[in-house]
Amino acid sequence: MNQNAHEPRSLPVPGTDALAASEALVALVRDEIAAAGGWLPFDRYMERALYAPGLGYYSGGARKFGLRADDGSDFVTAPELSALFAATLARPIAQAMAASGTRALIEFGAGTGRLAAGLMTALAALGVEFDSYAIVELSGELRERQRETIEALAGPLAQRVRWLDALPDQFAGVALGNEVLDAMPVKLFARTQGVWHERGVATAADGSLTFADRIVGSDGMALAEYDAAALAAMDTEAAADIDYVTETHAAAAAFVRTVCTLLQRGAAFFVDYGFPRHEYYHPHRAEGTLMCHYRHYAHGDPFFHPGLQDITAHVEFTAMAEAGVDTGADLLGYTSQARFLMNAGITDALAQLDPADVAHYLPAANAVQKLLSEAEMGELFKVVAFSRGIDKTLDVFARGDRSHSL
């Protein structure tokens, strides 16, 4: 029996076809475990669970984004909550385009396409000239959904959208990743009685997948430079005498590094949930941040129907800032989502709605409250931005910038 799987029995039961796809993915992982000698690092498992062609969560056909479990979705993102998120985000993007003299946008993992449609519509309303909106998306199902959404909501502006299978070699303009970094594979490490172990995945006697730990340095296993530095940071930040489980983020840092390298001129914005290093590796976070999402339920079992649920980890933003700056890009700013959106004018945008129109105003006000509230997304979510060719900071980072905390 999988000792780490608590089998969240209250969760909805997948359909027959979905279960068959999940079982096929488990069989694929079992074969890979056997070929690797009986153990896979967790980041490899997470990569397969999310992105295995045709079977992974993001590469398969299951619906991901939505408002409720009964629509078949697993979680909701800010652009789905409120159109005011995109309308507000358009303002700092417009300033970044003007400051850098660029006319293009690129988005990574565009979800349903609502953010793209909202941004293009808002930029057009602001009188901002832009030539193209590129979307890097691996999922065929999401591409089609994005196309339908953008055509329905953005009208003729949809003709400026093009889809890419991979990152371009170079780019001038504004790059955007909303809840992308948290879906990058992470390594898991566990410190037990002062000894660090890398937590991987093995096959249990009954054929299920289970966690399996290996002492760091055993069997000739050497740490990558990034992970060695992260473990050293953990020993500094987290009390050394407690047992501790956490993640390292080499894949996300490498992605930020790549984006900032290809950015010739302009800005790159990343919006996600997480903490700076001194908070991320705090002793109170001794169980790590790994989390799974299925039908709007959050739980901690990454082996529950692999391929049918999202697997995420909070972002360690100090590492992201270091990765971007290491390329020679400037750290444009880092702040909470609440401060970012308020500086960008989301409350002014809400005030333009008619409170007497209760059917429209109340849902909009409730959504903005969720985006801004410290108890909801306002404090947990952060915005970090990098730039090239922008001489001054943007207005959105003029107040409440937390770059000093990284």
Side-chain angles (χ1 to χ4, degrees), residues 172-246:
V174 171
L176 177 63
N178 181 60
E179 292 197 52
V180 170
L181 299 179
D182 67 90
M184 301 282 177
V186 296
K187 283 187 176 291
L188 293 184
F189 289 94
R191 186 178 60 197
T192 305
Q193 297 182 344
V195 178
W196 279 112
H197 301 71
E198 182 172 356
R199 179 154 291 177
V201 181
T203 303
D206 64 357
S208 63
L209 302 178
T210 185
F211 282 130
D213 292 354
R214 287 186 174 182
I215 296 176
V216 169
S218 66
D219 300 324
M221 182 178 67
L223 282 179
E225 182 178 346
Y226 176 90
D227 296 313
L231 293 192
M234 293 176 216
D235 280 329
T236 300
E237 301 293 345
D241 59 346
I242 65 171
D243 289 350
Y244 197 82
V245 177
T246 193

Side-chain angles (χ1 to χ4, degrees), residues 70 88 110 121 147 211 318 324 357-358 375 380 398:
D70 59 13
T88 304
T121 301
R147 194 186 310 276
F211 282 130
T318 302
D357 186 357
V358 176
L380 179 60

Side-chain angles (χ1 to χ4, degrees), residues 269-283:
F269 295 84
F270 296 96
V271 185
D272 229 309
Y273 44 90
F275 314 97
R277 181 171 294 150
H278 69 279
E279 294 180 27
Y280 198 97
Y281 298 132
H282 193 280

Side-chain angles (χ1 to χ4, degrees), residues 117-159:
L119 279 176
M120 289 192 296
T121 301
L123 288 172
L126 292 171
V128 176
E129 297 290 339
F130 64 97
D131 299 325
S132 64
Y133 196 113
I135 295 175
V136 180
E137 179 59 69
L138 302 179
S139 168
E141 180 268 334
L142 282 176
R143 280 192 182 199
E144 287 308 309
R145 191 173 177 191
Q146 290 160 8
R147 194 186 310 276
E148 292 174 1
T149 300
I150 293 169
E151 288 178 352
L153 298 180
L157 293 172
Q159 298 175 8

Side-chain angles (χ1 to χ4, degrees), residues 340-365:
F340 182 89
L341 292 176
M342 287 190 291
N343 285 355
I346 194 169
T347 54
D348 294 336
L350 178 64
Q352 293 178 11
L353 303 181
D354 182 5
D357 186 357
V358 176
H360 290 92
Y361 182 80
L362 282 183

Side-chain angles (χ1 to χ4, degrees), residues 45-118:
Y45 166 73
M46 185 171 171
E47 188 275 331
R48 302 303 276 166
L50 296 181
Y51 302 108
L55 296 174
Y57 181 72
Y58 284 105
S59 55
R63 184 170 184 177
K64 290 88 178 166
F65 310 92
L67 295 175
R68 304 177 311 278
D70 59 13
D71 65 15
S73 64
D74 298 305
F75 56 89
V76 65
T77 60
E80 303 296 318
L81 274 176
S82 174
L84 293 180
F85 180 80
T88 304
L89 183 57
R91 297 179 184 180
I93 286 178
Q95 187 182 9
M97 293 174 71
S100 60
T102 56
R103 298 167 58 95
L105 300 99
I106 185 170
E107 184 180 356
F108 316 112
T112 64
R114 281 188 176 272
L115 181 55

Side-chain angles (χ1 to χ4, degrees), residues 215-349:
I215 296 176
V216 169
S218 66
D219 300 324
M221 182 178 67
L223 282 179
E225 182 178 346
Y226 176 90
D227 296 313
L231 293 192
M234 293 176 216
D235 280 329
T236 300
E237 301 293 345
D241 59 346
I242 65 171
D243 289 350
Y244 197 82
V245 177
T246 193
E247 311 85 24
T248 62
H249 301 263
F255 181 76
V256 170
R257 188 177 297 110
T258 298
V259 171
C260 289
T261 298
L262 66 85
L263 184 68
Q264 295 176 297
R265 191 175 72 260
F269 295 84
F270 296 96
V271 185
D272 229 309
Y273 44 90
F275 314 97
R277 181 171 294 150
H278 69 279
E279 294 180 27
Y280 198 97
Y281 298 132
H282 193 280
H284 292 168
R285 225 175 304 284
E287 296 182 358
T289 71
L290 193 75
M291 187 60 63
C292 305
H293 300 274
Y294 178 76
R295 298 297 186 265
H296 292 265
Y297 289 86
H299 65 91
D301 182 7
F303 307 123
F304 176 75
H305 299 318
L308 304 185
Q309 65 172 353
D310 193 20
I311 306 174
T312 75
H314 288 47
V315 177
E316 197 267 89
F317 277 102
T318 302
M320 304 305 115
E322 291 171 346
V325 172
D326 283 348
T327 69
D330 296 319
L331 179 61
L332 194 57
Y334 167 72
T335 192
S336 68
Q337 176 176 283
R339 173 52 58 190
F340 182 89
L341 292 176
M342 287 190 291
N343 285 355
I346 194 169
T347 54
D348 294 336

